[in-house]
Amino acid sequence: MDLLTHEEYQAIAATLDLPNNAFIDGGYRPAISGKTFATTNPATGAKLTDVAACGADDVDFAVQKARAAFEDCRWSKMHPSDRKEVLIRFCKLLTRNARELAVMESIDSGKTIFDCETIDVPETIHCLKWHAEAIDKIYDQVAPASDDHIAMVVREPIGVVGLVLPWNFPLLMLAWKIGPALAAGCSLVVKPAVETSLTALRLAELATEAGIPRGVLNVVPGGGAEVGEPIGRHMDIDMVSFTGSTVTGKRFLSYAAESNAKEVVLEMGGKNPCVVMDDAENLDRVAQHVVNGAFWNMGENCSASSRLIVHEKVKEELLSRIEAHAKLWNIGAPLNPETRMGALVSKSHFDKVCSYLDGAENLRLGGGSHDGAFVEPTVIEVPGNDHRLAREEIFGPILSVITVAGFDEAIQIANDTEYGLCASIFTANGKRALRGARALRAGTVTINSFGEGDISTPFGGFKQSGFGGRDNSLFAHDQYTQLKTIWIDLSDDAGDAVA
């Protein structure tokens, strides 16, 4: 899709019909309490609309409708090929409305229209299509029983699922969860982030238009205490999948333990190391990867390469190249397609990120902030891995640089963190690269690149970065299904039956 001009995107934004009510049982409805909250454009501070501020009563109603949909089998027992066809129609509708969704995502989150048009919306559609195509291609199994028995191992949808979303990739993280969950036959209650509710609501409307039955996909906007916790504690929700901060994610384990012991899958924070050894080839290319890893999506990325662990022999040359590439990442109006870095998602998050810049020493690049919304790409050398900038997840465009003298020291520092989501290593030595990849304690390790894999590879973390399952790939389907053993006795003599 060709990009438009800044003025054309502004014109589209001015005419958008923004959804502002919860989407439950196939239609929009206000919060039962009648309460609303304002959602604003983080780049300008202008109010976009007032969104239904739902609460526990709305969660109860949505779960009731989701349970009814699951139990009467309108989706859960639909033939797999028919479910696939509905989801393919859904993807076609999303494609026809892609530009509307991209603009809505940009003005609601502060993300650049360039990223929304070229990455987030296309990848959202691709994710949903990929899981749709997998529906009738995942086989159940037969266990190696005796000649007198057949042991079938079959997958069944887990039931009613609560999906709690982050604000950094509103559409894409929604797709990562609803793709495999809908493919499995589950009914869903989705809580979007308060900061970014609009595209989830619009997507639910398009899903219903495509033929997903009412009650199957419900979106309940509202705060964490008002909606997130009731989802986590609900006695009739069978499983919760959460993406967000580690602190909040841990609460869902408590909610599950204190309610119905529902299954919980958590994708949480990261303080991801990028290890560059002294034999890394093409430092200019390495610098491009480092800059992309640190500053893409304004650093609001759980897999951001926020710690550069670099060998002392190449540090200065690499930093000079990083500074040159980072200067190309201009900040500005998110709806301008020439802008590489947009606004941070909210004023409170802007203040948090800026707090890490107060009194910063050894500043190599950036460090400035603008208009209460924008933070420059920033590179700071820190004296060691114990520094606050090296240990805490900032979730902003700040790259901390740590100098090392060798491979073993680099790996030790890389692993010295409570997180374990992603990591990368740059070296020309193939054996060292593989040794490093095996030694790094992270769910995804890239060699000579920054990345997260693709839809075919599982995404999730070690340690306090993840728990209970993986997004993406066929492995994502496992968390939305239950395994059932069906044991068939074929023997003629009842006395030969196995007790």
Side-chain angles (χ1 to χ4, degrees), residues 109 116 407 413 493:
S109 69
C116 292
F407 175 80
I413 288 176
D493 186 349

Side-chain angles (χ1 to χ4, degrees), residues 238-253:
D238 302 295
M239 177 254 182
V240 166
S241 179
F242 167 85
T243 295
S245 73
T246 298
V247 171
T248 303
K250 290 178 179 179
R251 293 177 187 154
F252 280 91
L253 296 177

Side-chain angles (χ1 to χ4, degrees), residues 174-201:
L174 176 63
W176 278 21
K177 295 185 186 300
I178 69 170
L182 289 172
C186 299
S187 293
L188 314 178
V189 177
V190 178
K191 180 209 171 300
V194 169
E195 296 86 349
T196 54
S197 300
L198 300 184
T199 50
L201 293 168

Side-chain angles (χ1 to χ4, degrees), residues 49-98:
T49 188
D50 291 305
V51 178
C54 294
D57 289 344
D58 301 282
V59 172
D60 284 341
F61 183 63
V63 172
Q64 175 190 339
K65 295 302 181 181
R67 177 60 64 187
F70 185 78
E71 297 297 341
D72 71 17
C73 306
R74 67 187 76 161
W75 182 254
S76 58
K77 296 292 179 66
M78 184 184 288
H79 192 281
S81 62
D82 293 334
R83 281 207 309 273
K84 179 180 77 172
E85 288 304 314
V86 172
L87 290 178
I88 293 298
R89 285 202 302 272
F90 181 30
C91 291
K92 290 178 179 178
L93 263 180
L94 292 174
T95 300
R96 289 203 289 271
N97 291 273

Side-chain angles (χ1 to χ4, degrees), residues 197-371:
S197 300
L198 300 184
T199 50
L201 293 168
R202 176 64 174 135
L203 184 139
E205 181 182 23
L206 291 171
T208 299
E209 185 179 338
I212 293 177
R214 61 183 179 82
V216 171
L217 177 55
N218 308 279
V219 178
V220 185
E226 295 78 14
V227 175
E229 183 172 346
I231 286 175
R233 293 186 180 277
H234 206 286
M235 296 296 292
D236 204 25
I237 288 180
D238 302 295
M239 177 254 182
V240 166
S241 179
F242 167 85
T243 295
S245 73
T246 298
V247 171
T248 303
K250 290 178 179 179
R251 293 177 187 154
F252 280 91
L253 296 177
S254 296
Y255 300 156
E258 294 164 3
S259 57
N260 61 341
K262 59 177 62 65
E263 295 191 25
V264 177
V265 174
L266 305 176
E267 197 274 282
M268 301 183 289
K271 192 66 180 178
N272 309 293
C274 173
V275 175
V276 180
M277 299 311 302
D278 55 337
D279 63 346
E281 294 180 323
N282 192 346
L283 288 181
D284 194 64
R285 182 174 178 275
V286 174
Q288 287 180 292
H289 279 286
V290 172
V291 167
N292 189 43
F295 304 135
W296 174 47
N297 203 54
M298 296 74 71
E300 296 173 333
N301 183 10
C302 57
S303 61
S305 299
S306 54
R307 285 188 299 153
L308 173 61
I309 301 169
V310 58
H311 196 284
E312 59 190 4
K313 291 183 179 179
V314 297
K315 182 188 77 172
E316 286 304 324
E317 182 179 356
L318 179 61
L319 286 181
S320 68
R321 293 172 184 267
I322 287 172
E323 291 161 16
H325 283 287
K327 288 176 181 177
L328 301 176
W329 285 60
N330 63 310
I331 60 175
L335 286 180
N336 185 340
E338 302 299 321
T339 298
R340 293 299 305 275
M341 292 184 63
L344 298 186
V345 73
S346 67
K347 181 61 167 62
S348 62
H349 186 60
F350 169 84
D351 291 340
K352 176 202 167 187
V353 172
C354 288
S355 72
Y356 287 91
L357 299 174
D358 295 339
E361 299 178 354
N362 299 317
L363 190 69
R364 297 295 298 256
L365 179 75
S369 60
H370 306 274
D371 302 324

